[in-house]
Each structure stands twice: as structure tokens, then as C-alpha cells.
Amino acid sequence: MKLFGVLSRCRNFTIRETLMSVTGGVQKLGFQRRFSNCSNEEPELKEFTNYLDNLKNYEKSGVPKGAGTDSDDGFDMGRMNRLMERLGNPQSKFKAVHIAGTKGKGSTALFLSNILWQEGYSVGCYTSPHLWSVRERILLGRKGDPVSAKALNCLFLRVKNILDQSIEMENGSISHFEVLTAVAFTLFAQENVDIAVVEAGLGGARDATNVFSSSELMASVITTIGEEHLAALGGSLESIAIAKSGIIKHACPVVLGGPFKPHIECILRDKASSMSSPVVSASAPGNRSTIKGVKRNDGKPYQSCDIHIQVEKDLRLFIELSDVRMCMLGSHQLQNAVTATCAALCLRDQGEVSDESIRVGLERTYLPGRSQFLTSGEAEAFELPGVTILVDGAHTKESARSLADTIQLTHPDAQLALVVAMANDKDHVAFAKEFLSGRKPEAVFFTEVSIAGERSRMTSASLLKDAWVQAATKLGISFSDIRIGGDEKFLTEQSGCSSVVGKHKPVLAIGGSVEESMKVANEILRVRSDGRPSLIVVTGSLHIVSSLLASLQR
């Protein structure tokens, strides 16, 4: 029996269309808000979240050097395997698609999950990090809702003794991520999901999610290879590729997102060859994807895309989709969509995945904090009526480039201001150079937010500003240096300047709160206005995005 044979009841076209008609309106209007419904950790979860908070959390403290490598310095997979054994190896009760990569993992996971939800499957989707609640990391069932507080709490209470015993037996070394991963997989087994789509945390080979055997895995996906977490993953692009390739299992299809540098793709293909695993490249010459333009529906932007996939080697895959209306914006998100589509096509010999489900799944995918334009009402809540505000969790050189491309795609003529906060383990200079190398912002304000609830990984605004000064100096860009609260004279002088934007120097300034920085940024754009629209972008980390969006819930 094929894996998805249990879902024959959802394969009847009429039944599936009925499901769509019942849920479609809710999804169209409410799908984008399902995550923000988790804005507050319910009191019911307090015991569980307190339990997690008492464990080692590398999102707060930063990842140790070499932790993600398959070496003596790497995370102890034996410890994770023993924990799963004590829980009855729940990961063996369902099939999975495992997704690793430097960027694009979460988006690709959600694209693929939405395709499968649209086909009628019960899917467990496990991703990280979260913006508001740990429940966002675990999506369940046939609609993809975050796990309920009640279900998560009940399971935690049921397995708490096992977790306590495991932590004691492992001398307290079990981490926050290991426990959360084990709980998520136990939930998936308990709910009898048809398939789980699992995003790796760090690397792949030594990641806590890498507990699937070849018989449990339907496909492995590697989205991109970049230099994030360089020290934790061996110190080179090659070592990162080797770590990510650790999710490849014997005879399981491997989907490569890319595009990759040739020698990096060789590392991935060599590992697949050694495991007798067929390879599908989303960036192969036979695949074409195009953004035809950006339009708006009810004030919300979407990009109209054509997707053509034709793979002849290893596996034979084909699909052609025209005018796919994606609300996930940018060429990088189109590449993630193509990667997810290739993964969905790989599953066709194990169950039905229709072209229409792929189209609708791609169109209904949305992630808050990724190229998210705030509504006019949300802008008014920040006392910025009529201002266009874009929030995006970009925090690497590559994601900065993608965000800059998205800004150019959606607002090619707008005056630009940035509000930036970042963690201290990122390449701040490289991030800055991506923005300063293209269309230069009128102003950049630096602020500070907690990282995963702690201040230890936060970069001070002054150090962040120093990095941008360094980047500007390297690029030969002169700038103005102001302070919020004492620069009315500066703003007055700006209003008398030439309206030619090119004659204005970019402003680099240490701001106050995110909200205060946005207001002063808007004032600078106003006095420099030459009739063009203005755009304020809040970026540098998902944590600054979370902080801003959370304030809308209060």
C-alpha cells in the first residue's frame, strides 16, 4: 500500500472541492493571521515553557564552536537517540520530509506543508524559531493550525517523567531544542499524521531533528549553503555543505534548492551518490521560474509567477503553472516555492499530489515577518498614518541582498529608511554593504531588542552603527551622523535643501525604541520628500520583527 493510500477518502474531487469551499474563505481571510493568534503564551502552557526555560537554550546563548559538525565537538546525537528511544521512537510512526539549508528552510517547509494540506493530508510541520509562542513551531492536522495549548500541555504532562529521567541520566545535558523536537515528534505520532515536514535547526548531521532512518524518510531537501553559523559548522563553506548533507539517507530522493557554487553542489551530489540517492535540482537548466510583476489584492501585494519544472535525470518530474499569485514576495521566495514544488513532485509516486494542490498551496503560503507589509491600520497604530512599513527578519548577507531585491521589485521609486537591530553573531559589515551597495537609504536607525528573551546575544546600537560606518567608508559613501532628540536643527536644515535626493547624505543614527526610530525616520523622509512615496523597513533579525508585531497585539 502506498503511504498516502489511507487518504483515498479525500481523493474524490467533489469531496476535496467541498473541503476547499468550507475552509477556503477562512483560509483566504484568516490564514495569514493564524500565527498571530498565538501572540500570548497561554497560562495553560506556563509549566511547559518554564520547563523549557530551565534547559540549555542555544538560541539565547549562541551556538558553541564546532557544535554542528560531525566531530568530537559536535552535538551528541547518541543523547538525542536515547531520548527518542525512551519515548518509544515516535519518529518511526510516520513518514517525513527533512529540510536543511542556510536560508529558506522555514519558507520551503511551509510551502510544502500547504501543498499537502491542500491535497487533504494530515501534516505535521515543525519549524523554528517562533515569533510569539512556541506553539507556532508545531502545526498539525488537515488545516495546519498551531498545536493547541491544551494538546501540548496534556502531552507534556504525560511524558514529563520520561523527560525528567532522561535529563537526569544525561547529566542535565539535554537541551531546550532537543526536548521540543522530541515533544513535537511525539505529538505527530499521537495525532497519526500522514507525513511530517521537518526543518532542521543547525546544520544537519548533528541536528536534533536528524533521527530519521532511510525507511522513515520520503525525501531530503537542502535549500541553500551560506556562511551563517560559520564557526559552529566547521569554519568554511565546504564544512557547512558537509554538515547539511548529513540529512541525506540511503536511497531517499534529495532535492537541491540552490543555486550552489559548483564545488559545493559537488559535495552534496557526491554524498547523495554515496547513499544511492536520486538527486533533483530545483536550479537545473530545464527548470524556469519568472516573476511577471507585482500587483495588489485588497491592498496586499502579491507577485504573479510562472513556474516550469522539467527533470529528466534520476527522477522524471514535470509541472507547468502560469500566473501563480504568491503573497511570499521576492525572487528568493520564488526559488523556495520551486524547491518545495520539486519536493512535492518527488512524493507523487507515493501518493496523490495534484497540480492544482501545488498551485493553491503556493498561493496560500504566508509567513509573518518575511517581506510583510503592515496594513494601513497597523501603520496608524504606530502613529504613522499613510506610511508604508515593511518588516523582514533578514540577518545575513544573502538575506539582506534578497530583501534589497524585494524592495526594488515592490517599491522601485520609493525613498527608503531602515530601522535595524541584530544579534551579535552575525556579519554586520557584510549585511550593511548589501544595502549600501545598491539604492542607498535616506536614513538608517540602529536600535536594540532582546534575542530569544535575553540580552546576551544582542548587539549594542553603537557597535551596530560602527559596522555600518565601516561599510560606508569601505564603499566611499559619506554620511550624516545625528542623535534622536537633539536634531531639530538638522531636520530644519534638511527642509531647505535641494529636493534632489542624490544630494542628501544617508543618515546613520542611534535610535531609541523601534517605534521611536520609525517616527524619526519618517520625519527625515518627510523633510527630504521630492514627491516620491516613502518606505520604512524594519529588519536585522526576526526578534526585532517579533518585538514590533507583538506591540500590535497589546
Side-chain angles (χ1 to χ4, degrees), residues 1-6 11 348-351:
M1 177 185 293
K2 290 184 177 181
L3 167 67
F4 295 161
V6 296
R11 294 222 179 115
R348 275 185 165 170
D349 65 342
Q350 302 176 69

Side-chain angles (χ1 to χ4, degrees), residues 42-268:
E42 293 82 352
E44 196 170 5
L45 282 181
K46 192 66 175 176
E47 185 177 358
F48 179 51
T49 55
N50 285 343
Y51 191 91
L52 291 175
D53 286 342
N54 286 324
L55 302 174
K56 183 70 173 178
N57 186 346
Y58 295 106
E59 291 177 25
K60 292 183 178 181
S61 63
V63 185
K65 184 177 180 180
T69 60
D70 195 8
S71 69
D72 291 341
D73 295 325
F75 289 134
D76 184 0
M77 286 304 297
R79 179 177 68 220
M80 185 63 188
N81 286 323
R82 289 188 292 273
L83 173 59
M84 299 307 288
E85 286 174 7
R86 295 181 189 114
L87 290 167
N89 284 316
Q91 78 281 4
S92 66
K93 308 296 195 302
F94 51 84
K95 298 291 185 178
V97 175
H98 199 185
I99 302 176
T102 302
K103 300 299 296 180
K105 300 186 297 293
S107 297
T108 301
L110 200 56
F111 275 126
L112 179 57
S113 296
N114 272 305
I115 291 168
L116 297 172
W117 281 317
Q118 189 59 38
E119 192 64 42
Y121 297 124
S122 176
V123 182
C125 180
Y126 181 59
T127 59
S128 59
H130 61 268
L131 290 179
W132 299 290
S133 167
V134 71
R135 297 198 294 116
E136 298 165 45
R137 301 190 184 207
I138 306 170
L139 309 181
L140 276 171
R142 302 193 189 282
K143 294 182 182 179
D145 292 324
V147 60
S148 70
K150 180 178 180 180
L152 188 53
N153 184 64
C154 287
L155 177 67
F156 167 65
L157 294 178
R158 181 164 65 83
V159 301
K160 183 177 181 297
N161 285 340
I162 297 174
L163 297 176
D164 289 341
Q165 292 168 12
S166 298
I167 290 169
E168 183 178 356
M169 294 176 71
E170 302 293 346
N171 298 315
S173 59
I174 293 179
S175 71
H176 176 288
F177 188 68
E178 288 168 332
V179 166
L180 192 55
T181 300
V183 167
F185 291 176
T186 304
L187 267 169
F188 294 162
Q190 174 183 287
E191 297 298 317
N192 295 313
V193 300
D194 300 310
I195 184 171
V197 179
V198 176
E199 176 190 355
L202 177 76
R206 290 294 184 97
D207 188 76
T209 61
N210 196 27
V211 292
F212 299 104
S213 67
S214 57
S215 63
E216 295 153 4
L217 203 63
M218 297 183 72
S220 300
V221 180
I222 300 175
T223 56
T224 59
I225 300 294
E227 294 184 350
E228 188 178 15
H229 299 303
L230 195 62
L233 294 173
S236 70
L237 210 58
E238 293 77 12
S239 66
I240 291 174
I242 291 170
K244 307 290 187 187
S245 72
I247 69 168
I248 297 173
K249 299 295 191 299
H250 179 73
C252 295
V254 179
V255 177
L256 301 180
F260 303 97
K261 293 181 179 180
H263 72 291
I264 296 299
E265 184 162 342
C266 280
I267 290 173
L268 302 176

Side-chain angles (χ1 to χ4, degrees), residues 415 442 490-505 524-532:
Q415 293 188 114
E442 294 294 312
F490 172 86
L491 296 175
T492 301
E493 290 172 348
Q494 290 292 297
S495 63
C497 290
S498 166
S499 63
V500 180
V501 172
K503 291 185 178 180
H504 292 298
K505 296 178 182 179
I524 289 176
L525 294 179
R526 186 187 64 79
V527 298
R528 289 188 171 188
S529 175
D530 60 352
R532 294 186 302 158

Side-chain angles (χ1 to χ4, degrees), residues 480-497:
S480 298
D481 187 353
I482 70 169
R483 294 178 298 105
I484 289 181
D487 289 275
E488 291 80 1
K489 183 181 179 212
F490 172 86
L491 296 175
T492 301
E493 290 172 348
Q494 290 292 297
S495 63
C497 290

Side-chain angles (χ1 to χ4, degrees), residues 436 446 464-474 477 479 508:
L436 294 174
F446 309 104
L464 198 53
K465 180 184 172 184
D466 289 345
W468 281 69
V469 168
Q470 182 181 343
T473 302
K474 285 183 177 181
I477 298 171
F479 56 89
L508 303 182

